Amino acid sequence: MSRQVQGYLYLALAMLTVGSTVVASKLIASGLPPFSATALRFAIAFPVFLLLMWATGARLPKFSREDRLILVIQAGAGSVGYTTLLISGLSLTSAADAGVIIGTLPVVAAAISILLLRERPQRALLLAVALATAGVLSIAVTPDAAGGSLSGNALIFLAVVCEGLFILLNKRLKTEIAPLAQSTLMAGIGFIVAAIPAIFEAPFAHGISRSAVAAVVYYALVPTVGGFLLWYAGAERVSGTEAALFTAVAPVSAVMLALASRWGSTRSPASPVCLRPCSDLPLPGAARSNLQVGDRSCSSAIPMLCGRPFRSFAPARCMREGSMRMPMSRRRSQTSTRSPRPG
């Protein structure tokens, strides 16, 4: 496998992890403030990076003043800016809408590589970026991907700009730096930048949900540790415009995972037949209000339709289904013991 093909593979895998951050951020937004979640993310990831550096014997090089400034901007924009803006935006809009907006990442990244990196891409590569973006948007646009909050969508787009800066600014570094060392720096600087505003959010005063903490742990270990290493390993093997092309993988995976999580939330883990929310069932208002989407009580709602409280819905069908499942001997015994109808 050539060095360039290896870069393509690393970049594609990295963008798969970036796409999964949309679903994770949606869970985080419901239980943690954005800066607190970001600080916790890097508080978990940074020791892992340090341990990997100690195990591999990696060392940090000496940087010039300009390189230090680029690293701070890269960490502030990509490590902190992307995460906080994404979490804040997803508190106002849906994950499917966010996946549609992230579909602009190839265009944003290509524009950054041309404007900031002064790269002159070939026409064929520009056409590939345009086709990739068009394909992403055609896949991402679904009937459910509409009606999101304008302010939430604007925050998602700003997160896309931060992500574009993050994935391409390392091309401006004059000092050669290994992927592991750069990932460690991004996590360390990102923690410092996020920890200061996180103190003013007072996350413990509002309560923290377990699902949000679990999503932060996933965010820290998979997209942060794994995604950083994969992206920097791939970016050093290809040009900035080629790297921008692979950002089209992120919105596709984001939309697919968002739709999969939405479909999965409407299934009860206890019953495979409950394929839609219980609120969609034709139950009385009082009964419907007690049933929640994805709740375990969903599996018990179906048999209740054949019970006494809901017999008026489909009594004939319920009686037929009950008699079909009843053994023949039992049906005969019930028929023989039935009292004769008075004449």
Side-chain angles (χ1 to χ4, degrees), residues 167-191:
I167 63 182
L168 294 176
L169 272 180
N170 63 300
K171 292 288 184 180
R172 295 293 301 269
L173 293 174
K174 297 179 180 179
T175 305
E176 185 176 355
I177 179 172
L180 178 57
Q182 189 168 3
S183 301
T184 305
L185 282 174
M186 292 297 101
I189 299 174
F191 173 73

Side-chain angles (χ1 to χ4, degrees), residues 259-270:
L259 295 178
S261 64
R262 179 180 295 183
W263 177 82
S265 65
T266 62
R267 292 193 58 179
S268 169

Side-chain angles (χ1 to χ4, degrees), residues 43-300:
I44 297 172
F46 186 56
V48 177
F49 282 125
L50 291 177
L51 182 61
L52 291 175
M53 287 192 66
W54 174 79
T56 58
R59 294 292 185 269
L60 292 176
K62 293 183 179 181
F63 298 102
S64 63
R65 182 177 298 179
E66 182 181 354
D67 285 346
R68 292 175 185 174
L69 179 61
I70 292 175
L71 288 172
V72 172
I73 296 174
Q74 189 179 19
S79 298
V80 179
Y82 173 79
T83 306
T84 54
L85 289 170
L86 185 64
I87 294 174
S88 301
L90 283 169
S91 65
L92 302 173
T93 189
S94 67
D97 289 342
V100 175
I101 299 169
I102 292 177
T104 61
L105 182 57
V107 175
V108 172
I112 291 173
S113 66
I114 295 172
L115 297 176
L116 296 183
L117 304 183
R118 299 291 191 267
E119 292 189 356
R120 293 184 177 180
Q122 299 177 357
R123 292 182 179 179
L125 196 55
L126 286 176
L127 179 61
V129 172
L131 291 176
T133 303
V136 165
L137 293 177
S138 65
I139 293 173
V141 174
T142 62
D144 295 330
S149 168
L150 180 60
S151 57
N153 293 340
L155 291 173
I156 299 297
F157 181 75
L158 291 177
V160 170
V161 176
C162 290
E163 181 68 9
L165 291 171
F166 173 75
I167 63 182
L168 294 176
L169 272 180
N170 63 300
K171 292 288 184 180
R172 295 293 301 269
L173 293 174
K174 297 179 180 179
T175 305
E176 185 176 355
I177 179 172
L180 178 57
Q182 189 168 3
S183 301
T184 305
L185 282 174
M186 292 297 101
I189 299 174
F191 173 73
I192 296 173
V193 174
I196 298 174
I199 297 175
F200 297 95
E201 288 180 335
F204 296 101
H206 304 286
I208 300 175
S209 66
R210 293 182 179 180
S211 60
V213 174
V216 171
V217 173
Y218 167 83
Y219 203 144
L221 298 179
V222 180
T224 304
V225 177
F228 278 18
L229 294 177
L230 287 170
W231 181 260
Y232 288 130
E236 68 177 2
R237 291 169 167 81
V238 300
S239 68
T241 313
E242 287 178 314
L245 177 62
F246 279 87
T247 58
V249 178
V252 173
S253 63
V255 172
M256 294 304 170
L257 291 172
L259 295 178
S261 64
R262 179 180 295 183
W263 177 82
S265 65
T266 62
R267 292 193 58 179
S268 169
S271 175
V273 299
C274 194
L275 297 178
R276 60 177 181 162
C278 293
S279 57
D280 291 342
L281 293 174
L283 301 181
R288 177 186 291 184
S289 62
N290 293 329
L291 298 176
Q292 300 296 330
V293 176
D295 196 353
R296 290 184 180 273
S297 60
C298 187
S299 60
S300 62

